[in-house]
């Protein structure tokens, strides 16, 4: 899966033809429906996409959703083991200082936590580090939301 292209679909609703085509190209045949299905994973479980009901998304995010579907693509996780290129040129072998070279200083209030948030353009990248910041377990990416803007003093 091309994660750079996946990144471009953040904020799209479940009725987006382009997004649905992209998922089908990657052998993902289901979209969230009117039930509790809000997370969709690739077959290898290395990429997980989270969807939020569109009304909730509108309340939480600074930018409106693209489309009018019931669910909006909110965030995605890339887990260690994914071997294709990651957005922002991140690699799972990177330590905290190498990540900060790519993304800038963490915007997290607790700089000692193994989970750190970074702002890049209009995205928040949450890095789940291994013990002592020696490598990455998971990369989570989403757009900046109202909570981020208020609590992390982001623009």
């Amino acid at each position: 899966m091309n994660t750079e292209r996946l990144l471009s679909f953040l904020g799209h609703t479940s009725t987006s033809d382009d997004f649905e085509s992209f998922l089908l190209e990657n052998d993902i045949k289901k979209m969230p429906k009117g039930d509790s299905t809000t997370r969709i994973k690739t077959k290898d479980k290395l990429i997980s996409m989270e969807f939020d009901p569109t009304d909730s998304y509108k309340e939480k995010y600074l930018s409106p959703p693209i489309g009018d579907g019931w669910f909006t693509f909110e965030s995605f996780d890339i887990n260690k083991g994914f071997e294709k290129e990651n957005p922002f040129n991140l690699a799972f072998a990177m330590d905290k200082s190498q990540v900060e070279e790519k993304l800038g200083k963490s915007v997290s209030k607790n700089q000692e936590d193994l989970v750190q948030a970074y702002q890049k353009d209009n995205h928040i990248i949450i890095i789940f580090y291994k013990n002592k910041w020696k490598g990455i377990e998971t990369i989570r990416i989403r757009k900046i939301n109202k909570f981020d803007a208020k609590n992390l003093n982001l623009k």
Side-chain angles (χ1 to χ4, degrees):
M1 178 176 285
N2 180 328
T3 55
E4 284 288 340
R5 191 152 171 237
L6 182 63
L7 179 70
S8 73
F9 289 114
L10 283 172
H12 282 245
T13 68
S14 51
T15 59
S16 167
D17 290 337
D18 289 342
F19 186 35
E20 188 173 3
S21 293
F22 172 76
L23 293 176
L24 287 171
E25 288 168 18
N26 288 281
D27 205 27
I28 298 171
K29 297 178 175 93
K30 68 176 188 172
M31 289 289 277
K33 301 278 187 251
D35 59 16
S36 62
T37 307
T38 58
R39 187 169 286 278
I40 295 174
K41 296 180 180 182
T42 55
K43 285 185 178 185
D44 60 11
K45 298 185 179 5
L46 294 176
I47 295 180
S48 175
M49 295 162 277
E50 186 160 350
F51 293 78
D52 198 25
T54 297
D55 287 343
S56 174
Y57 184 93
K58 287 177 183 177
E59 290 176 16
K60 292 192 301 192
Y61 281 83
L62 300 170
S63 57
I66 300 164
D68 59 358
W70 287 100
F71 289 92
T72 301
F73 179 37
E74 179 178 28
S75 68
F76 64 98
D77 293 356
I78 308 168
N79 295 301
K80 185 178 177 190
F82 182 75
E83 295 181 1
K84 296 181 182 168
E85 190 171 324
N86 292 313
F88 310 108
N89 294 314
L90 295 172
F92 289 100
M94 289 179 166
D95 63 23
K96 188 176 181 187
S97 65
Q98 292 169 310
V99 170
E100 290 187 347
E101 285 177 25
K102 301 279 184 192
L103 301 177
K105 186 170 174 16
S106 168
V107 295
S108 295
K109 292 183 179 180
N110 181 354
Q111 294 291 311
E112 300 302 313
D113 195 356
L114 289 175
V115 178
Q116 293 290 309
Y118 300 86
Q119 178 186 6
K120 191 73 169 175
D121 303 321
N122 65 338
H123 295 98
I124 290 291
I125 300 95
I126 301 169
I127 304 292
F128 295 80
Y129 288 100
K130 290 184 190 178
N131 194 19
K132 299 184 182 184
W133 301 284
K134 301 292 183 198
I136 298 171
E137 288 293 328
T138 300
I139 301 165
R140 177 173 294 154
I141 303 173
R142 60 178 166 76
K143 289 186 173 186
I144 294 173
N145 62 32
K146 292 175 185 175
F147 174 85
D148 302 324
K150 180 180 177 186
N151 294 307
L152 300 174
N153 298 315
L154 303 179
K155 296 176 174 98

